[in-house]
Amino acid sequence: MLNHNRKIYQDKNTLLFSAQNRAFSYADALFETIRIVTRIKNDKINYSIPLWKYHFKRLSKGMEAFGYDILESDFLKNEILKTACSTIPINEHKNIDFKARLTVFRSEGGLYTPTSSISEFVIVLKEIPKLKFLDKSINSLENLQKSYVFFDDLPLFSSFFSSFKKTDALPYVLAGKYKKEQNADEVFILNNQNRIAEAGAANVFILDRKKSDIEKKKLRFITPLASEGGVMGTMRNFLLDSQDNQLDNYISLEEKTITKEELNQSEIIFTTNAVQSIQIIKITTQRQFEVMRNWINEINRVFVRPR
């Protein structure tokens, strides 16, 4: 299912563009990857986008920075939801959400120098499973541990544009290729200072052991600053903004530089993005997992019962 400039196509493989498309020719485009939550009540489907204000905030800043005519928040949100409403019958929605990729790009015209600032868009939908709560019956931490590698062949550089999701994504493509070749579960991309910028398709948090007290169930995590060159994810920003509302304040988050050594030595590593929410990469003790499980389940309620 896809939506190109308000026109719905049932076949997501429909050909839409000429070879002069600026997203294809010059990577003159931005995108957002979005979870759409479905709920069925009284045989009626309700769709919602829990992190929409974070998606649009980043996207609108990107459109302004790229010199596009800015598409309005309500317009884009309604087009995404309209696309979801054009999908499968109600009885098939029970155990699925959707992942939407919204790409905004400049209209055709010009070579490197564009002749237009008109914005076009494409929305592509894919079915995904609903987020699950972490089960209390998990008593083996081995199943939660994931392998990871570091990628530094094409380091990230910090700039005014680095925090946006751009279709000029070669470092992430090559990092994903390297992860696959190494048979790893995750890859962490380094910046030009040889520090952690982000994961392959997510932001990263690690435990700051010096400022944590597991006996009091107080865990403090750090995540790379925007100046480290990574994309500033919507889930990352939601978590940073939501700290005051977290249960008992037993989880706190801070922006700080992270080295490879600090990540390797950390007792807890997790990643975040808007589609998968929070994914544990490493955790050391059952006590730590109990604290993390409660917190992750509380966060995931946003994607199960949107406010």
Side-chain angles (χ1 to χ4, degrees):
M1 180 68 63
L2 65 84
N3 178 335
H4 175 222
N5 293 339
R6 305 182 68 181
K7 186 174 181 179
I8 302 290
Y9 298 86
Q10 296 296 323
D11 183 358
K12 67 179 180 180
N13 296 312
T14 302
L15 298 179
L16 302 174
F17 312 120
S18 75
Q20 303 303 312
N21 175 266
R22 293 191 62 85
F24 169 75
S25 298
Y26 303 105
D28 190 358
L30 297 156
F31 73 97
E32 293 288 326
T33 307
I34 300 161
R35 177 177 280 269
I36 303 173
V37 175
T38 66
R39 288 189 297 168
I40 299 177
K41 186 175 182 179
N42 298 326
D43 290 329
K44 292 184 178 181
I45 304 176
N46 173 262
Y47 298 102
S48 61
I49 306 175
L51 299 184
W52 175 248
K53 74 173 184 179
Y54 291 93
H55 287 292
F56 184 75
K57 182 178 180 180
R58 180 173 61 185
L59 180 62
S60 61
K61 287 183 176 180
M63 286 189 285
E64 181 179 9
F66 276 40
Y68 296 171
D69 293 341
I70 297 179
L71 301 171
E72 295 297 325
S73 174
D74 287 347
F75 168 76
L76 286 174
K77 182 178 181 181
N78 288 338
E79 286 300 315
I80 294 170
L81 297 177
K82 181 178 79 174
T83 308
C85 288
S86 302
T87 58
I88 57 184
I90 188 169
N91 63 334
E92 298 181 32
H93 278 74
K94 292 183 178 179
N95 296 308
I96 66 165
D97 284 344
F98 290 102
K99 179 174 74 172
R101 176 177 164 125
L102 165 65
T103 306
V104 177
F105 51 95
R106 198 189 313 267
S107 292
E108 289 183 14
L111 301 176
Y112 283 124
T113 303
T115 59
S116 172
S117 62
I118 296 173
S119 297
E120 298 188 29
F121 68 89
V122 170
I123 300 162
V124 181
L125 257 57
K126 179 181 178 181
E127 297 175 23
I128 56 174
K130 287 187 171 296
L131 283 176
K132 295 180 180 179
F133 293 114
L134 292 177
D135 197 324
K136 291 183 179 181
S137 66
I138 296 176
N139 51 26
S140 174
L141 299 183
E142 290 184 7
N143 295 332
L144 296 172
Q145 314 303 321
K146 296 181 174 63
S147 61
Y148 61 84
V149 291
F150 297 103
F151 179 76
D152 60 3
D153 285 355
L154 192 55
L156 299 180
F157 287 77
S158 176
S159 75
F160 177 73
F161 297 90
S162 57
S163 62
F164 306 134
K165 287 180 74 72
K166 307 176 292 294
T167 55
D168 177 15
L170 186 59
Y172 304 92
V173 172
L174 296 182
K177 178 175 177 290
Y178 179 70
K179 177 187 73 172
K180 183 178 180 180
E181 291 169 347
Q182 299 300 310
N183 197 31
D185 298 311
E186 185 57 272
V187 57
F188 295 110
I189 305 175
L190 304 183
N191 63 18
N192 61 313
Q193 301 296 318
N194 205 40
R195 294 193 295 261
I196 307 297
E198 61 180 311
N203 294 114
V204 57
F205 291 76
I206 68 170
L207 182 70
D208 185 345
R209 195 66 177 88
K210 294 179 181 178
K211 296 184 178 180
S212 298
D213 187 341
I214 188 60
E215 295 303 320
K216 295 182 180 179
K217 297 184 178 181
K218 300 286 186 179
L219 300 181
R220 185 173 186 84
F221 292 93
I222 57 177
T223 187
L225 301 99
S227 57
E228 294 298 278
V231 172
M232 293 297 97
T234 54
M235 188 67 186
R236 170 194 184 275
N237 293 338
F238 168 73
L239 293 178
L240 289 169
D241 287 350
S242 301
Q243 291 187 80
D244 292 341
N245 299 323
Q246 290 166 7
L247 293 179
D248 300 324
N249 287 322
Y250 52 74
I251 302 287
S252 61
L253 311 169
E254 179 185 6
E255 297 174 287
K256 191 177 178 182
T257 59
I258 300 175
T259 66
K260 290 169 61 176
E261 292 73 20
E262 288 172 327
L263 187 142
N264 280 331
Q265 294 170 8
S266 180
E267 295 179 22
I268 305 176
I269 305 169
F270 68 86
T271 61
T272 64
N273 68 29
V275 174
Q276 295 182 314
S277 186
I278 299 169
Q279 297 290 308
I280 293 174
I281 305 298
K282 176 184 176 182
I283 195 159
T284 307
T285 70
Q286 191 68 32
R287 187 75 176 270
Q288 292 170 347
F289 173 66
E290 290 172 2
V291 177
M292 288 295 293
R293 180 189 63 213
N294 291 337
W295 180 61
I296 291 172
N297 285 343
E298 183 65 24
I299 294 298
N300 283 350
R301 294 183 198 283
V302 174
F303 297 93
V304 177
R305 294 190 290 274
R307 292 171 293 184

